[in-house]
Amino acid sequence: MNSLWNDSDAQALAGDPLALRVYSSRLLGQNPDLVLHGGGNTSVKAHTKDFFGDDVHVLYVKGSGWDLATIEAAGFAPVRMEVLTRLATYDNLSDSNIVTQQRLGLLDPTAPNPSVEAILHAVIPHTYVDHTHADAVVTLTNTPNAEAIVQEVYGDDVLVVPYVMPGFTLARTVYTMTRDIDWTQIQGILLLNHGLFTFADDAKTSYETMIELVSQAEDYLEQHTQTASNNSSNLDDDHYKLIASLRQEVSRVAGKSLVACLDNSGEALNLAQHSNVNEVAARGPLTPDHVIRTKLVPLVHDTTQDPEANLNTYAANYQAYFDRHQSGQTMLDPAPRWIVLPELGSLCLGESARAATIVKDIAEHTAKSILLAEKLGGWQALPESDLFDMEYWELEQAKLKRAKTSPPFSGQVVLVTGALSGIGRACAEHFYTQGAAVVALDISPDITILSKLGFLGVVCDVTDARALQDAVQQAVTAFGGIDIVVSNAGIFPPSQRLDVLEDSHFQRSLAINLDSHRKVLQACLPYLERGIKPAVILMASKNVPAPGPGAAAYSVAKAGLTQLGRIAALELAPKGIRVNMLHPDAVYDTAFWTEETLQQRASSYGISVEQYKRKSLLGVELTSHDIALAVAALAGDSFAKTTGAQMPLDGGNNRVI
Ligand code: ZN
């Protein structure tokens, strides 16, 4: 591991202890082998003035909710040192009491809650304190001979602290152990099964000591283990269906929709292909704080059992674990967040794509550490009771009570076709803002520019069944399945009366406005069957109930699509899949409506473009966003008992009425 410290960058911040603290905290945060997703914390002690101009000794410590990789000065909570050092002298304090007292000790009431490790940072008498959960250090200590190995690697350079609960218990333990020590004789504090603290009076030394100590652990691992080689996994159709079924079952047990992402990286495969995967994967987490994200252990999928049976066994084991340790806490849902798929990799689940990605990162680092520790005598996590204490920590239980309501499509996966512009784009964006993971298909390569966490842009010609199958498999890999399909892609052929209607225009309209929807439906069907609250919305047209002259190519295809939707509603109702159709009109902010098309349509009715645009009974134009709102309503709980319906969205049309 290399130091990322840059003297000239640091020089620019000289004289500002907090700015330097931000700088070196970010250096730590950039390395996922040191800290992952909000893990680790740092601090600096400094003198400042309060409102009255009096000198105050303050600990600027990482606030909760901030991530070291992106932390800013505002992410450090200024707590009065005298409050923290006084709290350290108590024999026993509850963590909720500490949260309250630390808040009262803040110099700035708008600051975030100080880290629960603030007291420990205050106990260490150096200006800068750095704390990480470095993989290499934790791996060494998650083994049967942890203390001997640590002694071999570090000698007396570090103070070794046995595992205790983070928070007050840990602060108190370190306070007691260090009351009589000579701080100049140690470079760091190593917390077994947890991580490492380093410290110094300048930011660079504290940071570089961390890098140095972690490098020693990495070197030891390298000398004593061989890196395993990893193969690749080839997924076939049945594997994708298995993924969707597992996601469906996990969501059932969790009582809410979860997004699942497949990880078939080298780390995930090495564990999934381990000869003894059932046993080694089930020994516990890398560090106890991971249980909040990943639960105690992953579900190792038993390929001889169906997904439902696998999940039932996992849930029963979780219930038994809770019953063994509980003392009045509220049980969390008993569903796994990490599934090891033997031979294939890891399936990582969360309430959102972001949460699933965090699980994926933790699972990758855990898998790597497990395999290294196996070569050092065997992976060994903390006893179950310690992990229970972390999972059911009073501070975590308190979070449950103030849990906010999730957005309506949280954990659901929505596939939208024709998603680059107009109605499709509006639908994709609306579902995304409503919490869904979105797979946005479009024939234009520009669709990939829209990709971001939880939003996958896929280039796909929806008339090509093979391209569709590939897109659907990408959706399942990224998010674990498909729940809602908005089949929207379409074209608007030029107005041509029957006497001049060109065969190619007619056929092309049938291919895109009718046949491609059938292909989309067929490609998605295996996943809708395994979906959560599955629903299909077909974008038909006002032309179905009220066709216009010159629009044969368009209207015939859309009428066929409506009939397809009605039949789909009949066929799919027994599987719980709803199919509804929308008949939009007067939506002029889409790619269909060029000035020329508007002109043509207006003249075929013998009116001006302005009159044409406002010809609805309500005299309104619709926007793509209006349609997206209706699509979301039809796909959501409001219409959970409606299928086979056709809804006009046209501002009122007397021919439709
Ligand atoms: Zn920690």
Side-chain angles (χ1 to χ4, degrees):
M1 180 171 291
N2 294 321
S3 166
L4 303 173
W5 188 274
N6 179 305
D7 275 327
S8 59
D9 288 351
Q11 194 57 44
L13 309 170
D16 185 343
L18 184 55
L20 277 166
R21 180 66 283 176
V22 171
Y23 171 69
S24 67
S25 300
R26 287 182 169 206
L27 298 185
L28 294 174
Q30 276 169 42
N31 190 335
D33 292 339
L34 285 174
V35 290
L36 271 181
H37 299 294
N41 41 58
T42 56
S43 68
V44 60
K45 300 175 186 79
H47 287 268
T48 185
K49 301 266 188 249
D50 67 8
F51 174 77
F52 304 102
D54 295 336
D55 181 85
V56 202
H57 194 201
V58 168
L59 178 83
Y60 291 95
V61 64
K62 194 194 103 163
S64 83
W66 286 80
D67 192 292
L68 288 183
T70 51
I71 198 160
E72 295 164 21
F76 286 91
V79 206
R80 291 168 200 275
M81 277 290 287
E82 65 166 308
V83 171
L84 295 171
T85 47
R86 220 169 145 184
L87 289 172
T89 64
Y90 277 71
D91 284 332
N92 207 352
L93 267 180
S94 76
D95 287 309
S96 0
N97 259 331
I98 291 180
V99 170
T100 308
Q101 292 311 315
Q102 287 186 167
R103 252 224 93 77
L104 288 169
L106 283 171
L107 216 59
D108 173 0
T110 66
N113 269 339
S115 159
V116 289
E117 309 294 12
I119 298 173
L120 174 45
H121 283 256
V123 163
I124 297 172
H126 291 277
T127 309
Y128 286 87
V129 177
D130 293 37
H131 168 49
T132 71
H133 300 160
D135 285 353
V137 172
V138 182
T139 302
L140 290 185
T141 71
N142 281 356
T143 54
N145 306 316
E147 284 175 57
I149 293 175
V150 166
Q151 177 65 32
E152 190 183 337
V153 176
Y154 296 114
D156 295 329
D157 290 348
V158 297
L159 175 74
V160 178
V161 178
Y163 179 80
V164 292
M165 265 292 276
F168 183 73
T169 317
L170 176 59
R172 178 72 194 163
T173 305
V174 173
Y175 174 73
T176 313
M177 288 177 75
T178 57
R179 239 182 300 184
D180 301 317
I181 67 157
D182 177 358
W183 284 91
T184 62
Q185 296 304 304
I186 56 167
Q187 294 185 44
I189 299 176
L190 190 149
L191 313 172
L192 294 177
N193 312 91
H194 177 165
L196 189 62
F197 274 84
T198 57
F199 30 78
D201 288 331
D202 68 281
K204 183 178 182 181
T205 308
S206 184
Y207 166 74
E208 290 198 330
T209 305
M210 176 66 71
I211 302 300
E212 173 55 32
L213 293 179
V214 174
S215 298
Q216 285 173 247
E218 287 184 334
D219 292 347
Y220 182 90
L221 282 172
E222 206 175 293
Q223 285 156 22
H224 292 79
T225 60
Q226 283 168 333
T227 337
S229 62
N230 45 64
N231 308 312
S232 60
S233 62
N234 275 325
L235 275 72
D236 61 28
D237 240 27
D238 286 342
H239 292 134
Y240 290 104
K241 287 179 193 160
L242 170 67
I243 289 169
S245 295
L246 282 167
R247 167 178 174 259
Q248 188 184 39
E249 286 300 322
V250 173
S251 299
R252 171 182 64 84
V253 171
K256 58 189 160 193
S257 307
L258 298 180
V259 171
C261 67
L262 177 72
D263 180 3
N264 51 9
S265 65
E267 283 79 7
L269 280 175
N270 277 338
L271 181 64
Q273 295 171 352
H274 191 279
S275 56
N276 196 16
V277 57
N278 276 302
E279 211 265 314
V280 293
R283 287 194 213 138
L286 181 58
T287 68
D289 57 320
H290 290 168
V291 295
I292 314 286
R293 304 276 193 187
T294 61
K295 293 270 159 74
L296 212 58
V297 288
L299 162 66
V300 181
H301 178 62
D302 176 353
T303 47
T304 66
Q305 304 270 340
D306 65 17
E308 187 184 354
N310 266 281
L311 264 298
N312 288 345
T313 306
Y314 187 95
N317 288 341
Y318 188 87
Q319 178 75 55
Y321 147 78
F322 179 77
D323 292 342
R324 276 197 294 281
H325 301 285
Q326 63 95 13
S327 52
Q329 293 92 340
T330 308
M331 191 175 96
L332 302 165
D333 75 67
R337 294 298 189 271
W338 175 16
I339 299 176
V340 177
L341 295 169
E343 304 301 324
L344 299 177
S346 292
L347 194 62
C348 304
L349 298 113
E351 282 79 357
S352 62
R354 176 173 300 279
T357 304
I358 291 174
V359 172
K360 179 177 157 192
D361 289 343
I362 291 174
E364 263 179 33
H365 283 259
T366 306
K368 187 175 162 197
S369 302
I370 287 177
L371 295 171
L372 288 171
E374 275 298 285
K375 296 195 157 65
L376 286 182
W379 175 253
Q380 180 179 301
L382 284 165
E384 193 180 87
S385 57
D386 284 317
L387 299 171
F388 180 88
D389 288 346
M390 182 54 107
E391 191 174 6
Y392 286 89
W393 195 0
E394 57 176 299
L395 299 181
E396 292 298 330
Q397 288 271 302
K399 277 186 202 163
L400 289 181
K401 295 199 177 92
R402 16 172 234 272
K404 43 190 186 324
T405 50
S406 314
F409 291 98
S410 167
Q412 287 206 277
V413 185
V414 182
L415 182 141
V416 183
T417 69
L420 184 62
S421 62
I423 291 173
R425 172 81 168 260
C427 289
E429 284 175 354
H430 183 63
F431 276 111
Y432 185 76
T433 62
Q434 297 298 299
V438 173
V439 186
L441 271 50
D442 203 280
I443 197 165
S444 163
D446 290 348
I447 192 70
T448 57
I449 299 168
L450 301 183
S451 288
K452 55 190 165 185
L453 187 57
F455 192 108
L456 178 68
V458 181
V459 185
C460 179
D461 175 353
V462 288
T463 63
D464 177 347
R466 182 165 280 201
L468 269 170
Q469 190 189 22
D470 181 61
V472 163
Q473 290 178 348
Q474 286 188 52
V476 177
T477 303
F479 304 130
I482 297 169
D483 305 315
I484 296 170
V485 174
V486 183
S487 195
N488 161 76
I491 53 161
F492 198 48
S495 182
Q496 286 181 329
R497 288 182 178 253
L498 285 173
D499 50 349
V500 293
L501 176 59
E502 287 166 59
D503 194 45
S504 61
H505 282 166
F506 191 75
Q507 295 302 339
R508 185 155 179 267
S509 179
L510 286 183
I512 298 174
N513 291 328
L514 170 56
D515 201 28
S516 80
H517 294 270
R518 173 185 62 85
K519 289 176 178 161
V520 168
L521 210 49
Q522 285 181 323
C524 293
L525 212 48
Y527 303 100
L528 289 167
E529 284 175 16
R530 294 165 174 80
I532 297 146
K533 298 193 271 183
V536 177
I537 309 294
L538 298 174
M539 208 57 71
S541 167
K542 168 237 125 190
N543 272 263
V544 176
Y554 188 71
S555 302
V556 168
K558 290 291 191 182
L561 172 60
T562 305
Q563 197 71 347
L564 179 75
R566 297 172 72 197
I567 289 163
L570 291 169
E571 288 186 8
L572 303 181
K575 295 174 176 168
I577 304 169
R578 301 183 298 114
V579 184
N580 292 293
M581 292 136 272
L582 284 182
H583 294 320
D585 190 29
V587 187
Y588 300 113
D589 64 344
T590 71
F592 286 178
W593 292 99
T594 60
E595 233 3 83
E596 195 194 343
T597 315
L598 272 169
Q599 201 61 254
Q600 268 186 352
R601 299 306 303 158
S603 57
S604 74
Y605 283 91
I607 51 178
S608 74
V609 167
E610 246 348 272
Q611 286 170 319
Y612 182 77
K613 277 189 168 181
R614 299 196 163 269
K615 70 185 186 325
S616 69
L617 292 174
L618 295 171
V620 293
E621 259 183 77
L622 283 94
T623 64
S624 295
H625 183 65
D626 293 328
I627 310 300
L629 293 178
V631 167
L634 263 183
D637 292 341
S638 312
F639 288 90
K641 295 173 184 172
T642 296
T643 192
Q646 302 176 43
M647 187 198 280
L649 274 166
D650 53 14
N653 179 312
N654 51 21
R655 292 179 55 217
V656 173
I657 291 170

